[in-house]
Amino acid sequence: MGVRSRLAAVATEPERRVAAQVGDALETVFETVAATRADTTALLHRVAAEGRRPVSRDLAALRPGLHPRLARQAIVSGAGFVAAPGLLADVPAWLEWWQSGADGAVRPLLLDLDPGRSAYSDYTYWEWFALPRDTGRRAVAGPYVDYLCSAEYSLTVSEPVSVQGRFAGVAAADVYLRHFEAAVLPLLRGLPRPAHLVNAHGRVAASTDTARLAGSLTRGPDFGELLDTARPGTHDGLRLVPCRGVPLVLVVA
């Protein structure tokens, strides 16, 4: 089940270069997430120093940072902070989430999170929330149809937010799959063999391999283990190359 890790010679120079370029492309999105994470952490620390629990209106202080980040990053379609249940004193759950429209305007996501009425009231099982919560690390979730926000096929990148050693929620950003593919498919097509990108769970994020469609699962190797080691490996004839700095693996047939 485990990945048979070897020295970097497992990967060819073009494969290492493409993996690094994919990492660079996604790192710009993670920079947006990291800035939101830093703002949220600072805000929650300030509230804690006042000797009280945060409430939903406190999170409005994140908006001056979120709005220009969305305007700046063409590849990012939505961004914000998603609170862990119980974090806020006035509501059981909350998304301080903003989206950029086709006209360039930034608008809030307005959701009904009443568990008696909404199918989306419990977002804790979604991969973009559960992976950072459970691993303490950044994550790439999807692609999936984002019924919560846009009804578009999307990826979500996220990082955990912790305050005083306790998980407080996630900072995250959405990327439409079509925008991500526009950035990375030309890189994959430059390789001489079919290739695809997978997340820590083996979910295909983009592919030039007709046998591996975006959204499908690549089973067999432990991609989480490979990402932990950050070293290339092989599995059943596949070459596996971690993308520099981000939780994606380049898989080459």
Side-chain angles (χ1 to χ4, degrees), residues 151-173:
E152 285 250 12
Y153 216 33
S154 302
L155 297 169
T156 301
V157 306
S158 52
E159 295 187 0
V161 175
S162 297
V163 176
Q164 298 176 337
R166 297 182 61 183
F167 175 72
V170 300

Side-chain angles (χ1 to χ4, degrees), residues 171-194:
D174 283 340
V175 177
Y176 292 150
L177 180 63
R178 53 190 165 88
H179 292 162
F180 180 69
E181 287 180 327
V184 302
L185 285 182
L187 303 175
L188 300 187
R189 292 188 184 115
L191 294 171
R193 301 188 63 82

Side-chain angles (χ1 to χ4, degrees), residues 41-97:
T41 301
L43 169 64
L44 295 178
H45 275 299
R46 288 197 301 270
V47 172
E50 296 171 5
R52 62 179 180 88
R53 287 175 62 193
V55 294
S56 55
R57 66 175 177 272
D58 289 321
L59 299 180
L62 300 176
R63 296 172 191 175
L66 287 170
H67 293 186
R69 284 176 210 131
L70 275 170
R72 232 178 6 247
Q73 280 277 12
I75 194 174
V76 175
S77 59
F81 169 68
V82 184
L87 174 72
L88 304 176
D90 59 331
V91 290
W94 189 263
L95 287 83
E96 184 62 41
W97 196 264

Side-chain angles (χ1 to χ4, degrees), residues 190-204:
L191 294 171
R193 301 188 63 82
H196 57 285
L197 298 166
V198 301
N199 69 6
H201 284 173
R203 182 80 58 190
V204 178

Side-chain angles (χ1 to χ4, degrees), residues 81-228:
F81 169 68
V82 184
L87 174 72
L88 304 176
D90 59 331
V91 290
W94 189 263
L95 287 83
E96 184 62 41
W97 196 264
W98 291 78
Q99 298 172 287
S100 56
D103 59 358
V106 176
R107 299 181 177 90
L109 174 68
L110 303 175
L111 283 178
D112 180 1
L113 295 177
D114 186 330
R117 296 192 303 264
S118 174
Y120 306 115
S121 60
D122 182 8
Y123 44 69
T124 61
Y125 66 90
W126 290 73
E127 198 174 56
W128 49 261
F129 190 92
L131 268 174
R133 178 196 61 200
D134 297 343
T135 67
R137 295 193 293 268
R138 51 170 48 180
V140 177
Y144 61 98
V145 179
D146 187 5
Y147 293 112
L148 192 66
C149 296
S150 64
E152 285 250 12
Y153 216 33
S154 302
L155 297 169
T156 301
V157 306
S158 52
E159 295 187 0
V161 175
S162 297
V163 176
Q164 298 176 337
R166 297 182 61 183
F167 175 72
V170 300
D174 283 340
V175 177
Y176 292 150
L177 180 63
R178 53 190 165 88
H179 292 162
F180 180 69
E181 287 180 327
V184 302
L185 285 182
L187 303 175
L188 300 187
R189 292 188 184 115
L191 294 171
R193 301 188 63 82
H196 57 285
L197 298 166
V198 301
N199 69 6
H201 284 173
R203 182 80 58 190
V204 178
S207 177
T208 59
D209 187 341
T210 56
R212 308 283 185 180
L213 299 179
S216 64
L217 285 172
T218 296
R219 301 187 182 277
D222 186 337
F223 292 106
E225 175 190 338
L226 188 81
L227 288 167
D228 285 342

